[in-house]
Each structure stands twice: as structure tokens, then as C-alpha cells.
Amino acid sequence: MYSIENKRIRKAIYVDCEKVLFQIGCDNDSCLTVTILTNKVTERIKKKVEEYVIAWFDLKRDITPFYHLLEQQDETSYMVKYFYGLRLIGVPDLYEVVCWCIIGQLINLGFAHQIKRNIIDRFGESIQYQGKKYYLFPKPEVLYQASSEELKTMKLTSKKAECLLEVSRLFTAGAISQKQMELLSDLESKQQLLLNIKGVGIWTTNYSLLKCLKQPDCIPYGDAVLVNALIKHQIIENKNDIDGINSFYNRFPEWSHYLTFYFWRSRFTICLLLE
């Protein structure tokens, strides 16, 4: 979780086993300023926070080639103007994003955020700074100690509660880890590592790989926001037109993740353009 205060983002993360709170500001159009608000600022902490921010906002990627591809398609050419500079905002922690996907399956975004908030308030640690608490997403070994009944009191279904516990068990045992995932060379192997978990399907898998690893060739088929955007852009007629989705995405080799993110963003813009 993060908070925005005075046009600055504050975020608490773990650096190894240490809780660290940092702030991101933008004093001009050309750079971000990152300030560590708690802890003694060591080189190790500075390095880890820098790595986190770079991963979070995908800052090392040159997205110019993606804009060239957008300009070539009538359906997406407007995005270069309206979304210029927008980078794929990720979730740098694999465990957190998999849990988020499980929580958010088949419910609206507002309800999903409330459930996640409840879980964080109950099981997550926090940092106190200037009279305010900044929460961190629970570690897998902590959530694994919860009972299914306790999780259900937070508005999770029985199936989701059991799936969250299973994911937490696997991450706690080291059967799945982000480092392990990053070492796998091909998409199919990465997908299979998550698909082997009972209750995890292709949408959760592809969404997690897209948001955490910035996997370029992942399409979260069945994603309601993506499907609606593709229909509004007259790229497909209905959600079952997988061939139509693939045909359009094939025009953006190595940029499927960014195309999806821009279509997600378009839901705030396309209605205005169509008026």
C-alpha cells in the first residue's frame, strides 16, 4: 500500500528484514527525488530502495519503440499524445501480486481493495512516522498462520481463503520464490510454476507475470477492463474473440505488457474521445 501526501508518494517496504519508509517527489519535469524517511540511511538501504523504485515504475526501459508501434495503428495512435511518458506501474513483489489477483477474482476493484486493506490491517506490519501508520503487505509466513475461517471474516470466499493459504505455504517453504521465477528462461515454465497452484488460473498467472516481472508476452485473457477497452476500440466484438485479440497484439511484438497497460488506462480517456 502507498499514500499520497502533498503530491508526494510514501511507501513502506522491507529491505531484507528491516522496515523502510521512503518518499518520492518530482521537483521538476526531468527527475524523481527519493527520500528515505526512516532508518539510518546506509548504502545497502539506498541501493534496495533505488532498485525498488526503478522496478515499480519501470524506469530503465526505453519506450520510444512502443510509441512508434502505437502510431502505426489507427485504434491506438491517440495514446501517444494522451499517455505520453506513462510507464508500466508494477508490483515488484511476486507474492503480493499473486495474492492480489486471488483477492480480486470476479469482484469489482473497490471491493477487492477493501478486502486487501482488511488483510493488511490485520496481518501486516507498519511503520509509525509523524503520527501516521504506513502498512506493509504481510509476509507469507505470517499469512500462512491465519485460519481459513479468519480470512473468511474479511469477505473472502472459502475457495479464495484456501488458495491464499496455499500460496502462502508455498512461498514460506521456498517452493516458489521471485528469484526462482526470474531464473526461468521461458514464459511457459514461468506460467506453469504458478498454474500448478490449486485455484490459480491463466488470468492470475499472466497478470502476475505482467505486473511483477514485466513479462513482455503476457496477455491477461478474460480481464474485464481489457476486454471492454478492446471492444470500445472496435478491435473485437466480444470477449470470446481470442483470435481477434491475438491478431491485434501480434502487431506489438515484445510490447504486449505495455499495450495491455495502456488499454487499462484508456478507460478514463476513450469515453471523452468518443463524445
Side-chain angles (χ1 to χ4, degrees), residues 150-240:
E150 188 174 12
L151 291 175
K152 286 192 289 184
T153 65
M154 299 176 184
K155 308 301 182 183
L156 285 169
T157 63
S158 297
K159 184 177 179 180
K160 287 184 180 183
E162 293 298 332
C163 190
L164 272 184
L165 291 174
E166 177 63 7
V167 167
S168 299
R169 182 187 71 82
L170 292 169
F171 272 84
T172 299
I176 297 177
S177 70
Q178 187 161 335
K179 184 174 291 186
Q180 178 187 3
M181 184 72 78
E182 289 170 347
L183 290 174
L184 295 173
S185 58
D186 62 287
L187 173 60
E188 186 176 351
S189 297
K190 294 174 182 178
Q191 289 174 323
Q192 198 58 51
L193 191 62
L194 294 179
L195 288 171
N196 287 335
I197 305 171
K198 184 178 180 181
V200 171
I202 193 63
W203 175 80
T204 293
T205 296
N206 282 353
Y207 183 101
S208 298
L209 295 177
L210 184 158
K211 290 285 278 183
C212 180
L213 300 188
K214 308 294 196 308
Q215 188 73 31
D217 43 2
C218 271
I219 304 173
Y221 297 105
D223 184 272
V225 176
L226 175 60
V227 167
N228 287 336
L230 292 171
I231 291 173
K232 286 182 178 179
H233 285 79
Q234 300 182 346
I235 293 167
I236 60 172
E237 293 185 356
N238 60 72
K239 65 180 181 179
N240 298 317

Side-chain angles (χ1 to χ4, degrees), residues 21-60:
L21 177 69
F22 64 87
Q23 176 176 277
I24 304 174
C26 184
D27 297 323
N28 55 59
D29 292 334
S30 62
C31 69
L32 297 175
T33 301
V34 181
T35 306
I36 297 171
L37 302 175
T38 58
N39 310 77
K40 182 179 179 181
V41 182
T42 64
E43 288 302 315
R44 178 180 62 87
I45 288 176
K46 285 171 61 177
K47 183 175 184 295
K48 291 293 185 180
V49 170
E50 179 184 11
E51 290 173 352
Y52 188 96
V53 173
I54 289 171
W56 192 7
F57 297 108
D58 202 29
L59 295 179
K60 285 194 172 181

Side-chain angles (χ1 to χ4, degrees), residues 7 21 39 54 78 91 101 107 124 126 128 132 140-141 154 160 225 234 253 258 272-273:
K7 297 184 178 180
L21 177 69
N39 310 77
I54 289 171
Y78 77 92
V91 182
C101 287
I107 60 175
S126 65
Q128 187 90 15
K132 183 175 179 178
E141 58 267 28
M154 299 176 184
K160 287 184 180 183
V225 176
Q234 300 182 346
Y258 262 79
L272 297 175
L273 295 174

Side-chain angles (χ1 to χ4, degrees), residues 104 106-113:
L106 303 177
I107 60 175
N108 67 65
L109 197 58
F111 188 34
H113 275 293

Side-chain angles (χ1 to χ4, degrees), residues 1 100 103 107-118:
M1 304 295 282
W100 167 241
I103 292 168
I107 60 175
N108 67 65
L109 197 58
F111 188 34
H113 275 293
Q114 184 56 58
I115 295 173
K116 183 178 180 181
R117 178 80 263 176
N118 293 341

